[in-house]
């Protein structure tokens, strides 16, 4: 059974006439890492807000972890499916990192004697244990996002939704977050919905879903989606750097495997070819 089912959802904001999500159907498999792409205004963030029950569908419905958003209390859904937002500064409210991680636990009534060990393990999972007594506002953007993730991990979620959560970070911070998220996806089998405009992040996902006008325009494994260069470009997106490089080299007559997604893949491919040519 899918962990998220979006069933024929239409959505428009109050006081507007236009639907920004139209007849959307989407099923997300438990444990998968799904990347949502689409040009500005295609409805990605609106989908995230619907999944986090900040809004409810105008028609149709959404079932998350077996709970229907139309008739379940918001906090019960958010406990199972937490969200990390774009701006790290808007998510941390306490004066100490540990208090921030405790915040959600207090809201769901976790007994105080259980809290300390949950906070410890959540901070360990994001590599921030030694920052527990620091003031959140003194951390880097990447560290703040890791604390925000720890706050959600503490609630033992089944799903985490990331709405452009790396877009305000420097390249180092972006890498840190993506590595933490890939690890918790694999080790804890937590389902990841990853909204981004960075194509090099999309190649790390199991599945890429491309939005246009609030509908799914493309859906498949990263290589399946990005091999269709013309269609991806027509949807206002770039081709991930290593796939663009592969295509360009092949066009120049330098034969490179079309299975390459990442810098590591490319280094392996070129190293092998180079070694074979110099035997
Ligand atoms: P994306 O995340 O893909 O950039 P959004 O979901 O933010 O797209 O926006 C989809 C559409 O909904 C856009 O046309 C945007 O202008 C509109 N929109 C977003 N938020 C609101 C709002 N609070 N009120 C009215 N319209 C909105």
């Amino acid at each position: 059974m899918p962990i998220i089912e979006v069933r024929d959802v239409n959505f428009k904001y109050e006081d507007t006439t236009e639907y920004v999500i139209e007849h959307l159907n989407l099923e997300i498999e438990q444990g998968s890492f799904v990347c949502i792409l689409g040009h500005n205004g295609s409805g990605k963030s609106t989908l995230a807000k619907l999944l986090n029950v900040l809004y409810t569908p105008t028609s149709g419905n959404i079932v998350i972890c077996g709970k229907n958003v139309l008739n379940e209390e918001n906090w019960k859904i958010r406990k199972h499916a937490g969200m990390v937002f774009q701006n790290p500064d808007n998510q941390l409210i306490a004066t100490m990192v540990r208090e921030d991680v405790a915040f959600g636990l207090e809201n769901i009534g976790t007994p105080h004697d259980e809290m300390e060990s949950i906070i410890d393990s959540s901070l360990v999972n994001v590599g921030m244990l030694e920052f527990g007594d620091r003031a959140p506002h003194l951390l880097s953007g990447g560290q703040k996002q890791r604390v925000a993730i720890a706050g959600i991990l503490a609630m033992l979620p089944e799903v985490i939704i990331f709405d452009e959560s790396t877009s305000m970070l420097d390249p180092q911070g972006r890498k840190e977050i993506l590595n933490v998220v890939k690890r918790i996806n694999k080790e804890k089998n937590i389902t990841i919905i990853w909204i981004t405009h960075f194509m090099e992040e999309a190649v790390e996902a199991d599945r890429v879903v491309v939005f246009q006008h609030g509908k799914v325009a493309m859906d498949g494994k990263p290589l399946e989606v990005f091999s269709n260069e013309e269609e991806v470009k027509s949807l206002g997106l770039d081709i991930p750097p290593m796939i663009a490089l592969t295509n360009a080299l092949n066009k120049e007559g330098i034969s490179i495997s079309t299975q390459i997604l990442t810098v590591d893949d490319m280094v392996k491919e070129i190293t092998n070819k180079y070694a074979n040519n110099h035997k």
Side-chain angles (χ1 to χ4, degrees):
M1 240 198 29
I3 196 148
I4 294 178
E5 289 173 80
V6 178
R7 296 179 184 151
D8 199 22
V9 164
N10 290 297
F11 177 77
K12 65 184 179 65
Y13 286 97
E14 257 176 48
D15 306 325
T16 60
T17 50
E18 230 176 275
Y19 280 89
V20 296
I21 297 287
E22 282 193 82
H23 296 295
L24 180 67
N25 286 290
L26 192 62
E27 290 191 349
I28 307 284
E29 283 308 311
Q30 181 174 16
S32 58
F33 187 141
V34 180
C35 178
I36 312 272
L37 299 174
H39 60 76
N40 281 346
S42 59
K44 307 179 298 294
S45 196
T46 304
L47 171 69
K49 288 171 187 150
L50 287 165
L51 296 178
N52 203 232
V53 221
L54 293 164
Y55 295 102
T56 46
T58 311
S59 67
N61 65 29
I62 303 178
V63 179
I64 302 174
C65 306
K67 295 177 169 38
N68 194 317
V69 297
L70 299 179
N71 48 32
E72 193 69 70
E73 287 175 82
N74 296 355
W75 71 269
K76 284 192 183 155
I77 293 176
R78 288 185 195 138
K79 179 177 171 327
H80 292 277
M83 178 134 126
V84 178
F85 296 88
Q86 183 175 44
N87 188 342
D89 289 321
N90 293 347
Q91 297 173 87
L92 309 182
I93 35 165
T95 51
M96 205 204 284
V97 163
R98 295 185 71 87
E99 286 168 13
D100 242 304
V101 179
F103 187 73
L105 290 175
E106 274 161 12
N107 279 347
I108 60 170
T110 307
H112 270 260
D113 59 343
E114 289 173 23
M115 274 194 191
E116 291 307 311
S117 70
I118 298 175
I119 294 169
D120 279 352
S121 69
S122 306
L123 285 172
V124 166
N125 272 313
V126 298
M128 288 295 287
L129 185 62
E130 74 264 37
F131 293 86
D133 299 329
R134 302 270 182 96
H137 72 274
L138 297 177
L139 302 176
S140 72
Q143 290 171 328
K144 285 179 194 167
Q145 287 298 53
R146 285 195 272 155
V147 174
I149 295 170
I152 290 171
L153 282 179
M155 322 255 276
L156 303 178
E158 287 162 77
V159 179
I160 309 182
I161 304 145
F162 293 84
D163 186 5
E164 302 260 11
S165 310
T166 58
S167 63
M168 296 177 78
L169 307 181
D170 59 24
Q172 183 56 35
R174 289 215 302 273
K175 252 189 225 145
E176 275 170 30
I177 296 301
L178 193 58
N179 286 340
V180 164
V181 172
K182 277 164 52 183
R183 190 163 43 73
I184 59 181
N185 169 245
K186 292 278 168 293
E187 287 176 7
K188 300 191 170 297
N189 204 30
I190 294 176
T191 307
I192 305 294
I193 313 280
W194 183 267
I195 297 173
T196 189
H197 61 265
F198 293 111
M199 296 302 132
E200 66 269 32
E201 294 178 354
V203 299
E204 306 277 353
D206 300 323
R207 174 181 172 197
V208 172
V209 177
V210 184
F211 267 54
Q212 191 189 31
H213 304 311
K215 290 193 180 108
V216 174
M218 297 180 87
D219 186 351
K221 290 190 179 14
L223 273 172
E224 287 164 3
V225 168
F226 293 118
S227 62
N228 205 334
E229 198 168 332
E230 291 306 307
E231 192 176 350
V232 170
K233 284 186 175 162
S234 77
L235 294 167
L237 301 177
D238 284 331
I239 300 294
M242 286 306 115
I243 297 181
L245 180 58
T246 301
N247 293 348
L249 287 171
N250 280 318
K251 252 186 215 156
E252 292 298 323
I254 298 171
S255 157
I256 295 278
S257 160
T258 51
Q259 302 300 305
I260 286 169
L261 285 169
T262 64
V263 170
D264 284 348
D265 296 342
M266 183 60 92
V267 169
K268 272 187 208 131
E269 170 80 357
I270 292 178
T271 312
N272 282 341
K273 281 193 180 299
Y274 188 83
N276 287 339
N277 286 342
H278 286 79
K279 266 182 190 157

